[in-house]
Amino acid sequence: MRPLQRVLARVGIRTPFARDALLAGVLAVLGLSTLGVGAFTMGPAEPEAAFRTPLAVVGVLGSTVPLAWRRQAPVAVLAVVLVGYTAQLLGITGAQGFNAGPFVALYSLGAYAERRRVYIATPVAVVLLITAELGLLAEDTIGMVTVEGPGETVLYAMFFVGGVIYGAAALLGAYVQTRRAYREELVARAERLEREREERAERAVADERARLARELHDVVAHHLSGIVVQAGAAERLVERDPAKVQAMLADIRESGKATLTSMRRLVGILRAGDDTDGTAPQPGLERLDVVADQARAAGIKVELTVEGEPVALPSEVDLAAYRVLQEALTNVRKHAPGATANAVVRYRPRVVEVEVVDDGGHGGAIEDEPSDGVGLVGMRERVLLLDGTFGAGPNTRGGWTVRAQIPTEGEAPR
Protein backbone atom coordinates (compact mmCIF):
# COMPACT_ATOMS: atom_id res chain seq x y z
CA MET A 1 0.00 0.00 0.00
CA ARG A 2 1.26 3.44 -0.92
CA PRO A 3 2.00 6.02 1.84
CA LEU A 4 -0.95 8.24 0.86
CA GLN A 5 -3.30 5.25 0.86
CA ARG A 6 -2.06 4.25 4.32
CA VAL A 7 -2.76 7.76 5.60
CA LEU A 8 -6.25 7.74 4.11
CA ALA A 9 -6.93 4.28 5.50
CA ARG A 10 -6.27 5.59 9.01
CA VAL A 11 -9.16 8.04 8.63
CA GLY A 12 -11.53 5.45 7.20
CA ILE A 13 -10.99 6.02 3.46
CA ARG A 14 -9.96 2.53 2.39
CA THR A 15 -11.67 1.68 -0.92
CA PRO A 16 -10.82 3.05 -4.40
CA PHE A 17 -14.32 4.54 -4.68
CA ALA A 18 -13.89 6.37 -1.38
CA ARG A 19 -10.57 7.82 -2.55
CA ASP A 20 -12.10 8.88 -5.87
CA ALA A 21 -15.02 10.49 -4.03
CA LEU A 22 -12.53 12.43 -1.91
CA LEU A 23 -10.70 13.57 -5.05
CA ALA A 24 -13.96 14.68 -6.64
CA GLY A 25 -14.88 16.61 -3.50
CA VAL A 26 -11.52 18.37 -3.34
CA LEU A 27 -11.71 19.37 -7.03
CA ALA A 28 -15.28 20.63 -6.54
CA VAL A 29 -14.24 22.79 -3.60
CA LEU A 30 -11.26 24.18 -5.54
CA GLY A 31 -13.43 24.91 -8.56
CA LEU A 32 -16.10 26.68 -6.53
CA SER A 33 -13.48 28.62 -4.59
CA THR A 34 -11.72 29.91 -7.71
CA LEU A 35 -15.12 30.67 -9.23
CA GLY A 36 -16.03 32.80 -6.22
CA VAL A 37 -12.68 34.58 -6.21
CA GLY A 38 -13.04 35.29 -9.91
CA ALA A 39 -16.56 36.63 -9.52
CA PHE A 40 -15.43 38.90 -6.69
CA THR A 41 -12.49 40.31 -8.64
CA MET A 42 -14.54 40.77 -11.83
CA GLY A 43 -17.14 42.79 -9.99
CA PRO A 44 -20.95 42.46 -10.13
CA ALA A 45 -22.38 40.75 -13.16
CA GLU A 46 -24.34 42.69 -15.76
CA PRO A 47 -28.14 42.36 -15.42
CA GLU A 48 -28.46 40.45 -18.68
CA ALA A 49 -25.83 37.94 -17.49
CA ALA A 50 -27.32 37.25 -14.06
CA PHE A 51 -27.92 33.62 -14.99
CA ARG A 52 -24.23 32.98 -15.47
CA THR A 53 -23.12 32.45 -11.88
CA PRO A 54 -25.64 29.68 -11.04
CA LEU A 55 -24.86 28.06 -14.40
CA ALA A 56 -21.14 28.19 -13.65
CA VAL A 57 -21.73 26.60 -10.23
CA VAL A 58 -23.73 23.80 -11.82
CA GLY A 59 -20.99 23.39 -14.41
CA VAL A 60 -18.26 23.08 -11.78
CA LEU A 61 -20.24 20.48 -9.84
CA GLY A 62 -21.15 18.60 -13.03
CA SER A 63 -17.53 18.41 -14.13
CA THR A 64 -16.09 17.29 -10.77
CA VAL A 65 -18.59 15.24 -8.78
CA PRO A 66 -18.92 12.49 -11.44
CA LEU A 67 -15.19 11.81 -11.05
CA ALA A 68 -16.09 9.64 -8.06
CA TRP A 69 -17.11 6.97 -10.64
CA ARG A 70 -14.12 7.47 -12.92
CA ARG A 71 -12.89 3.87 -12.48
CA GLN A 72 -16.26 2.18 -12.99
CA ALA A 73 -17.41 4.15 -16.08
CA PRO A 74 -14.57 6.28 -17.47
CA VAL A 75 -16.22 6.98 -20.84
CA ALA A 76 -19.56 8.04 -19.32
CA VAL A 77 -17.81 10.17 -16.71
CA LEU A 78 -15.81 11.92 -19.43
CA ALA A 79 -19.01 12.71 -21.35
CA VAL A 80 -20.68 14.18 -18.25
CA VAL A 81 -17.54 16.16 -17.39
CA LEU A 82 -17.47 17.64 -20.91
CA VAL A 83 -21.08 18.80 -20.56
CA GLY A 84 -20.41 20.25 -17.11
CA TYR A 85 -17.25 22.00 -18.26
CA THR A 86 -19.14 23.53 -21.20
CA ALA A 87 -21.78 24.80 -18.80
CA GLN A 88 -19.08 26.36 -16.66
CA LEU A 89 -17.62 28.11 -19.72
CA LEU A 90 -21.07 29.50 -20.52
CA GLY A 91 -21.40 30.85 -16.99
CA ILE A 92 -18.03 32.56 -16.54
CA THR A 93 -16.39 35.62 -17.98
CA GLY A 94 -12.90 35.29 -19.40
CA ALA A 95 -10.55 33.15 -17.37
CA GLN A 96 -12.78 33.23 -14.33
CA GLY A 97 -12.70 29.90 -12.46
CA PHE A 98 -10.39 26.90 -12.48
CA ASN A 99 -11.44 23.33 -13.23
CA ALA A 100 -9.17 20.27 -13.39
CA GLY A 101 -12.09 17.93 -14.08
CA PRO A 102 -11.37 17.48 -17.81
CA PHE A 103 -7.73 16.60 -17.15
CA VAL A 104 -8.63 14.01 -14.52
CA ALA A 105 -11.40 12.60 -16.71
CA LEU A 106 -9.05 12.19 -19.69
CA TYR A 107 -6.42 10.59 -17.47
CA SER A 108 -9.04 8.19 -16.09
CA LEU A 109 -10.13 7.36 -19.62
CA GLY A 110 -6.61 6.28 -20.53
CA ALA A 111 -6.05 4.47 -17.24
CA TYR A 112 -9.28 2.46 -16.92
CA ALA A 113 -11.10 2.26 -20.26
CA GLU A 114 -10.59 -0.36 -22.95
CA ARG A 115 -7.81 0.54 -25.33
CA ARG A 116 -10.16 0.71 -28.33
CA ARG A 117 -12.40 3.21 -26.55
CA VAL A 118 -9.39 5.27 -25.52
CA TYR A 119 -8.29 5.61 -29.15
CA ILE A 120 -11.77 6.77 -30.18
CA ALA A 121 -12.84 8.93 -27.24
CA THR A 122 -9.58 10.81 -26.63
CA PRO A 123 -9.37 12.79 -29.91
CA VAL A 124 -13.13 13.45 -29.85
CA ALA A 125 -12.96 14.81 -26.30
CA VAL A 126 -9.90 16.96 -27.00
CA VAL A 127 -11.51 18.47 -30.12
CA LEU A 128 -14.73 19.21 -28.22
CA LEU A 129 -12.83 20.83 -25.36
CA ILE A 130 -10.75 23.04 -27.63
CA THR A 131 -13.78 23.93 -29.74
CA ALA A 132 -15.79 24.91 -26.66
CA GLU A 133 -12.98 27.04 -25.29
CA LEU A 134 -12.36 28.73 -28.63
CA GLY A 135 -16.04 29.35 -29.28
CA LEU A 136 -17.00 30.60 -25.83
CA LEU A 137 -13.91 32.46 -24.72
CA ALA A 138 -12.53 33.93 -27.92
CA GLU A 139 -14.74 37.01 -27.47
CA ASP A 140 -13.27 37.83 -24.04
CA THR A 141 -10.04 39.26 -22.81
CA ILE A 142 -7.57 36.87 -21.15
CA GLY A 143 -5.15 38.59 -18.81
CA MET A 144 -3.76 41.65 -20.54
CA VAL A 145 -3.97 40.21 -24.06
CA THR A 146 -6.80 41.47 -26.22
CA VAL A 147 -8.07 38.92 -28.72
CA GLU A 148 -7.51 41.05 -31.83
CA GLY A 149 -4.64 41.15 -34.28
CA PRO A 150 -1.47 39.63 -32.79
CA GLY A 151 -3.34 38.77 -29.61
CA GLU A 152 -5.50 36.33 -31.52
CA THR A 153 -2.41 34.32 -32.45
CA VAL A 154 -1.37 34.22 -28.81
CA LEU A 155 -4.81 33.01 -27.80
CA TYR A 156 -4.88 30.21 -30.35
CA ALA A 157 -1.35 29.23 -29.35
CA MET A 158 -2.49 28.97 -25.73
CA PHE A 159 -5.41 26.76 -26.73
CA PHE A 160 -3.08 24.61 -28.83
CA VAL A 161 -0.90 24.08 -25.78
CA GLY A 162 -4.03 23.24 -23.82
CA GLY A 163 -4.96 20.62 -26.40
CA VAL A 164 -1.51 19.07 -26.11
CA ILE A 165 -1.89 18.96 -22.33
CA TYR A 166 -5.31 17.32 -22.62
CA GLY A 167 -3.89 14.69 -24.96
CA ALA A 168 -0.92 14.17 -22.68
CA ALA A 169 -3.28 13.48 -19.76
CA ALA A 170 -4.95 10.67 -21.72
CA LEU A 171 -1.58 9.30 -22.86
CA LEU A 172 -0.32 9.31 -19.28
CA GLY A 173 -3.37 7.33 -18.19
CA ALA A 174 -2.83 4.83 -21.02
CA TYR A 175 0.79 4.41 -19.94
CA VAL A 176 -0.27 3.77 -16.36
CA GLN A 177 -2.79 1.17 -17.57
CA THR A 178 -0.08 -0.56 -19.62
CA ARG A 179 2.29 -0.65 -16.66
CA ARG A 180 -0.46 -1.97 -14.40
CA ALA A 181 -1.32 -4.73 -16.89
CA TYR A 182 2.37 -5.60 -17.16
CA ARG A 183 2.74 -5.89 -13.40
CA GLU A 184 -0.40 -8.00 -13.15
CA GLU A 185 0.92 -10.28 -15.88
CA LEU A 186 4.21 -10.67 -14.02
CA VAL A 187 2.36 -11.53 -10.81
CA ALA A 188 0.10 -13.99 -12.64
CA ARG A 189 3.10 -15.58 -14.33
CA ALA A 190 4.95 -15.92 -11.03
CA GLU A 191 1.88 -17.52 -9.43
CA ARG A 192 1.49 -19.85 -12.41
CA LEU A 193 5.15 -20.89 -12.25
CA GLU A 194 4.83 -21.45 -8.51
CA ARG A 195 1.78 -23.66 -9.03
CA GLU A 196 3.57 -25.61 -11.75
CA ARG A 197 6.61 -26.06 -9.50
CA GLU A 198 4.40 -27.31 -6.68
CA GLU A 199 2.62 -29.67 -9.06
CA ARG A 200 5.95 -31.04 -10.31
CA ALA A 201 7.10 -31.53 -6.74
CA GLU A 202 3.85 -33.29 -5.85
CA ARG A 203 4.18 -35.54 -8.89
CA ALA A 204 7.77 -36.28 -7.94
CA VAL A 205 6.71 -37.22 -4.41
CA ALA A 206 3.92 -39.43 -5.75
CA ASP A 207 6.27 -41.11 -8.26
CA GLU A 208 8.91 -41.68 -5.60
CA ARG A 209 6.35 -43.12 -3.19
CA ALA A 210 5.09 -45.43 -5.90
CA ARG A 211 8.64 -46.53 -6.68
CA LEU A 212 9.40 -47.03 -3.01
CA ALA A 213 6.20 -49.03 -2.60
CA ARG A 214 7.22 -51.33 -5.44
CA GLU A 215 10.70 -51.79 -4.01
CA LEU A 216 9.42 -52.46 -0.49
CA HIS A 217 6.92 -54.85 -1.96
CA ASP A 218 9.80 -56.76 -3.52
CA VAL A 219 11.69 -56.77 -0.21
CA VAL A 220 8.65 -58.12 1.64
CA ALA A 221 8.05 -60.72 -1.07
CA HIS A 222 11.67 -61.85 -0.78
CA HIS A 223 11.35 -62.27 3.01
CA LEU A 224 8.07 -64.13 2.69
CA SER A 225 9.50 -66.44 0.02
CA GLY A 226 12.30 -67.36 2.43
CA ILE A 227 9.82 -67.96 5.24
CA VAL A 228 7.73 -70.25 3.04
CA VAL A 229 10.80 -72.26 2.00
CA GLN A 230 12.00 -72.61 5.62
CA ALA A 231 8.53 -73.58 6.81
CA GLY A 232 8.35 -76.31 4.14
CA ALA A 233 11.73 -77.68 5.15
CA ALA A 234 10.76 -77.62 8.85
CA GLU A 235 7.58 -79.50 8.05
CA ARG A 236 9.60 -82.31 6.46
CA LEU A 237 12.10 -82.48 9.36
CA VAL A 238 9.70 -82.10 12.27
CA GLU A 239 9.82 -85.83 13.17
CA ARG A 240 13.39 -86.70 12.12
CA ASP A 241 15.34 -83.72 13.56
CA PRO A 242 13.33 -81.69 16.11
CA ALA A 243 16.42 -79.71 17.19
CA LYS A 244 17.07 -78.49 13.67
CA VAL A 245 13.39 -77.67 13.24
CA GLN A 246 13.55 -75.57 16.39
CA ALA A 247 16.48 -73.59 14.94
CA MET A 248 14.60 -73.15 11.67
CA LEU A 249 11.55 -71.88 13.53
CA ALA A 250 13.75 -69.31 15.27
CA ASP A 251 14.97 -68.16 11.85
CA ILE A 252 11.38 -68.00 10.64
CA ARG A 253 10.46 -65.85 13.66
CA GLU A 254 13.29 -63.41 12.95
CA SER A 255 12.40 -63.27 9.26
CA GLY A 256 8.77 -62.67 10.20
CA LYS A 257 9.73 -59.77 12.47
CA ALA A 258 11.80 -58.23 9.67
CA THR A 259 8.90 -58.69 7.28
CA LEU A 260 6.49 -56.99 9.69
CA THR A 261 8.89 -54.07 10.00
CA SER A 262 9.00 -53.73 6.24
CA MET A 263 5.22 -53.97 6.06
CA ARG A 264 4.89 -51.11 8.53
CA ARG A 265 7.04 -49.03 6.21
CA LEU A 266 4.77 -49.95 3.33
CA VAL A 267 1.49 -48.91 4.98
CA GLY A 268 0.26 -45.55 3.76
CA ILE A 269 2.49 -45.43 0.69
CA LEU A 270 0.61 -45.11 -2.57
CA ARG A 271 1.43 -47.99 -4.87
CA ALA A 272 0.86 -47.04 -8.52
CA GLY A 273 1.25 -50.24 -10.49
CA ASP A 274 3.75 -53.07 -10.24
CA ASP A 275 6.27 -53.74 -12.98
CA THR A 276 8.40 -56.30 -11.10
CA ASP A 277 7.87 -59.97 -10.47
CA GLY A 278 8.60 -59.72 -6.73
CA THR A 279 11.07 -62.60 -6.68
CA ALA A 280 14.47 -60.84 -6.42
CA PRO A 281 15.84 -58.56 -3.68
CA GLN A 282 16.62 -54.94 -4.53
CA PRO A 283 20.19 -53.59 -4.56
CA GLY A 284 21.83 -52.26 -1.42
CA LEU A 285 25.05 -50.77 -0.12
CA GLU A 286 26.97 -53.90 -1.09
CA ARG A 287 26.84 -52.48 -4.63
CA LEU A 288 28.60 -49.21 -3.77
CA ASP A 289 31.49 -50.00 -6.09
CA VAL A 290 29.09 -50.50 -9.01
CA VAL A 291 27.49 -47.08 -8.46
CA ALA A 292 30.90 -45.43 -8.13
CA ASP A 293 32.14 -47.08 -11.33
CA GLN A 294 29.06 -45.90 -13.22
CA ALA A 295 29.69 -42.33 -12.07
CA ARG A 296 33.35 -42.56 -13.06
CA ALA A 297 32.36 -43.82 -16.50
CA ALA A 298 30.23 -40.65 -16.85
CA GLY A 299 33.28 -38.43 -16.19
CA ILE A 300 32.92 -37.86 -12.43
CA LYS A 301 35.94 -38.36 -10.18
CA VAL A 302 34.48 -40.36 -7.30
CA GLU A 303 36.31 -41.05 -4.06
CA LEU A 304 34.37 -43.70 -2.13
CA THR A 305 34.90 -44.09 1.60
CA VAL A 306 33.26 -46.44 4.11
CA GLU A 307 33.57 -45.46 7.78
CA GLY A 308 32.73 -47.83 10.61
CA GLU A 309 32.16 -51.56 10.54
CA PRO A 310 29.60 -52.54 7.86
CA VAL A 311 26.62 -54.34 9.39
CA ALA A 312 23.56 -56.03 7.97
CA LEU A 313 20.86 -53.41 7.51
CA PRO A 314 17.10 -53.80 7.23
CA SER A 315 16.30 -54.26 3.56
CA GLU A 316 14.32 -51.02 3.22
CA VAL A 317 17.09 -49.02 4.94
CA ASP A 318 19.77 -50.64 2.80
CA LEU A 319 17.78 -49.86 -0.34
CA ALA A 320 17.07 -46.24 0.66
CA ALA A 321 20.74 -45.54 1.43
CA TYR A 322 21.72 -47.03 -1.91
CA ARG A 323 19.16 -44.94 -3.80
CA VAL A 324 20.25 -41.70 -2.09
CA LEU A 325 23.87 -42.35 -3.00
CA GLN A 326 22.92 -43.28 -6.57
CA GLU A 327 20.68 -40.21 -7.08
CA ALA A 328 23.22 -37.83 -5.52
CA LEU A 329 25.96 -39.02 -7.89
CA THR A 330 23.50 -38.78 -10.79
CA ASN A 331 22.82 -35.15 -9.88
CA VAL A 332 26.57 -34.47 -9.81
CA ARG A 333 26.86 -35.91 -13.31
CA LYS A 334 23.93 -33.80 -14.56
CA HIS A 335 24.68 -30.46 -12.95
CA ALA A 336 28.44 -30.48 -12.23
CA PRO A 337 30.17 -32.27 -15.13
CA GLY A 338 33.83 -32.97 -14.49
CA ALA A 339 33.46 -32.53 -10.73
CA THR A 340 35.19 -34.45 -8.00
CA ALA A 341 32.75 -36.09 -5.61
CA ASN A 342 33.51 -37.54 -2.20
CA ALA A 343 30.98 -40.25 -1.33
CA VAL A 344 31.02 -41.45 2.28
CA VAL A 345 28.97 -44.17 3.96
CA ARG A 346 29.16 -44.12 7.75
CA TYR A 347 27.94 -47.02 9.88
CA ARG A 348 27.07 -45.70 13.33
CA PRO A 349 25.10 -47.16 16.23
CA ARG A 350 21.45 -47.31 15.16
CA VAL A 351 22.12 -45.02 12.17
CA VAL A 352 23.63 -45.28 8.72
CA GLU A 353 24.70 -42.01 7.10
CA VAL A 354 25.26 -41.31 3.42
CA GLU A 355 27.06 -38.13 2.34
CA VAL A 356 28.06 -36.92 -1.14
CA VAL A 357 30.12 -33.71 -1.48
CA ASP A 358 31.20 -32.32 -4.86
CA ASP A 359 33.31 -29.30 -5.84
CA GLY A 360 31.05 -27.96 -8.60
CA GLY A 361 33.14 -29.11 -11.56
CA HIS A 362 33.64 -26.71 -14.46
CA GLY A 363 30.10 -25.28 -14.07
CA GLY A 364 27.08 -25.47 -16.31
CA ALA A 365 24.58 -28.29 -16.29
CA ILE A 366 24.61 -30.64 -19.25
CA GLU A 367 20.83 -30.81 -19.23
CA ASP A 368 18.93 -28.72 -21.78
CA GLU A 369 16.46 -27.54 -19.16
CA PRO A 370 17.11 -26.17 -15.68
CA SER A 371 16.72 -28.47 -12.72
CA ASP A 372 13.41 -28.34 -10.89
CA GLY A 373 14.62 -30.15 -7.76
CA VAL A 374 12.69 -33.38 -8.44
CA GLY A 375 15.72 -35.54 -7.60
CA LEU A 376 16.08 -33.87 -4.22
CA VAL A 377 12.36 -34.18 -3.57
CA GLY A 378 12.52 -37.92 -4.26
CA MET A 379 15.52 -38.47 -1.98
CA ARG A 380 13.97 -36.44 0.81
CA GLU A 381 10.67 -38.30 0.56
CA ARG A 382 12.41 -41.67 0.62
CA VAL A 383 14.45 -40.81 3.71
CA LEU A 384 11.61 -39.17 5.64
CA LEU A 385 9.36 -42.18 5.09
CA LEU A 386 11.94 -44.18 7.04
CA ASP A 387 12.01 -41.63 9.92
CA GLY A 388 15.40 -40.32 8.79
CA THR A 389 16.78 -36.85 8.20
CA PHE A 390 17.83 -35.34 4.89
CA GLY A 391 19.65 -32.17 3.91
CA ALA A 392 21.04 -30.72 0.68
CA GLY A 393 22.54 -27.37 -0.26
CA PRO A 394 25.56 -25.45 -1.54
CA ASN A 395 28.91 -25.93 0.18
CA THR A 396 32.06 -23.84 0.54
CA ARG A 397 33.81 -25.76 -2.26
CA GLY A 398 31.51 -24.33 -4.90
CA GLY A 399 29.42 -27.46 -5.25
CA TRP A 400 26.68 -29.23 -3.33
CA THR A 401 26.45 -31.44 -0.28
CA VAL A 402 23.81 -34.14 0.10
CA ARG A 403 23.52 -35.86 3.46
CA ALA A 404 21.04 -38.45 4.71
CA GLN A 405 20.79 -40.21 8.07
CA ILE A 406 18.55 -43.25 8.27
CA PRO A 407 17.83 -45.15 11.51
CA THR A 408 18.64 -48.84 11.32
CA GLU A 409 16.34 -49.85 14.18
CA GLY A 410 13.51 -47.97 15.86
CA GLU A 411 13.63 -44.20 15.55
CA ALA A 412 17.00 -42.51 15.56
CA PRO A 413 17.62 -39.23 17.37
CA ARG A 414 16.99 -36.23 15.08
Side-chain angles (χ1 to χ4, degrees):
M1 184 180 293
R2 298 176 182 176
L4 179 59
Q5 293 180 1
R6 287 197 295 267
V7 173
L8 294 176
R10 293 195 185 100
V11 296
I13 302 175
R14 298 182 176 86
T15 64
F17 178 77
R19 292 193 292 269
D20 290 341
L22 176 63
L23 174 64
V26 171
L27 292 180
V29 171
L30 288 177
L32 293 175
S33 300
T34 55
L35 185 65
V37 172
F40 177 78
T41 56
M42 295 293 294
E46 298 179 359
E48 63 273 12
F51 73 93
R52 289 188 173 183
T53 299
L55 182 61
V57 172
V58 173
V60 170
L61 295 177
S63 57
T64 54
V65 174
L67 293 175
W69 292 271
R70 66 191 186 96
R71 300 174 193 260
Q72 293 86 346
V75 178
V77 167
L78 176 61
V80 175
V81 168
L82 289 177
V83 174
Y85 185 61
T86 303
Q88 181 184 351
L89 293 177
L90 288 171
I92 65 175
T93 302
Q96 180 183 351
F98 167 78
N99 194 338
F103 297 99
V104 178
L106 282 168
Y107 169 84
S108 304
L109 175 73
Y112 302 108
E114 297 178 2
R115 191 56 53 89
R116 179 176 58 85
R117 295 186 177 183
V118 174
Y119 292 151
I120 296 174
T122 298
V124 173
V126 171
V127 170
L128 291 177
L129 284 169
I130 298 302
T131 302
E133 291 178 347
L134 285 174
L136 297 174
L137 298 182
E139 301 176 355
D140 297 327
T141 300
I142 297 182
M144 300 300 295
V145 179
T146 302
V147 185
E148 292 180 0
E152 184 177 359
T153 303
V154 175
L155 177 63
Y156 281 94
M158 293 173 62
F159 287 139
F160 172 78
V161 173
V164 172
I165 296 176
Y166 285 137
L171 291 177
L172 177 61
Y175 171 77
V176 170
Q177 181 179 171
T178 301
R179 292 292 299 176
R180 183 170 60 248
Y182 177 70
R183 288 195 300 269
E184 292 174 353
E185 176 61 26
L186 289 180
V187 172
R189 182 181 178 184
E191 293 175 350
R192 184 172 62 253
L193 291 176
E194 179 66 17
R195 287 195 301 270
E196 292 175 355
R197 188 192 67 80
E198 293 177 354
E199 290 173 358
R200 288 197 301 270
E202 291 174 357
R203 286 197 300 269
V205 170
D207 292 343
E208 190 64 24
R209 287 189 175 187
R211 181 183 178 187
L212 182 57
R214 291 193 298 270
E215 293 172 348
L216 289 179
H217 165 270
D218 296 336
V219 170
V220 171
H222 178 67
H223 284 313
L224 290 177
S225 298
I227 291 175
V228 171
V229 171
Q230 287 181 314
E235 185 180 10
R236 291 192 297 270
L237 297 175
V238 66
E239 296 180 357
R240 290 182 295 172
D241 194 347
K244 188 173 183 179
V245 170
Q246 186 176 4
M248 294 176 67
L249 291 176
D251 291 338
I252 290 175
R253 184 178 65 252
E254 293 300 323
S255 297
K257 291 172 59 178
T259 304
L260 287 175
T261 301
S262 298
M263 286 296 295
R264 282 194 293 268
R265 306 289 191 186
L266 186 59
V267 173
I269 301 176
L270 177 62
R271 190 175 190 277
D274 185 4
D275 54 3
T276 61
D277 56 11
T279 59
Q282 294 292 329
L285 292 179
E286 73 277 357
R287 298 187 60 190
L288 287 179
D289 293 334
V290 176
V291 178
D293 291 340
Q294 291 174 348
R296 294 187 185 104
I300 305 299
K301 304 178 183 65
V302 180
E303 298 178 2
L304 183 60
T305 305
V306 178
E307 298 180 2
E309 184 66 26
V311 296
L313 300 174
S315 301
E316 63 275 12
V317 175
D318 197 18
L319 176 60
Y322 171 82
R323 292 301 189 195
V324 169
L325 181 67
Q326 183 184 48
E327 184 65 26
L329 291 177
T330 300
N331 284 347
V332 174
R333 177 183 63 81
K334 287 182 179 180
H335 309 298
T340 297
N342 296 324
V344 183
V345 177
R346 300 184 181 93
Y347 290 92
R348 294 179 174 175
R350 300 180 61 206
V351 172
V352 61
E353 181 177 323
V354 176
E355 182 181 69
V356 177
V357 182
D358 69 85
D359 58 7
H362 54 67
I366 63 176
E367 300 293 316
D368 293 334
E369 298 182 356
S371 171
D372 55 9
V374 167
L376 296 178
V377 170
M379 286 188 282
R380 180 181 294 107
E381 184 69 15
R382 180 180 292 273
V383 172
L384 294 182
L385 284 173
L386 297 176
D387 295 325
T389 59
F390 178 85
N395 56 41
T396 57
R397 298 172 58 185
W400 271 64
T401 297
V402 175
R403 182 181 295 109
Q405 290 183 333
I406 308 174
T408 57
E409 57 181 63
E411 182 176 356
R414 297 281 173 167

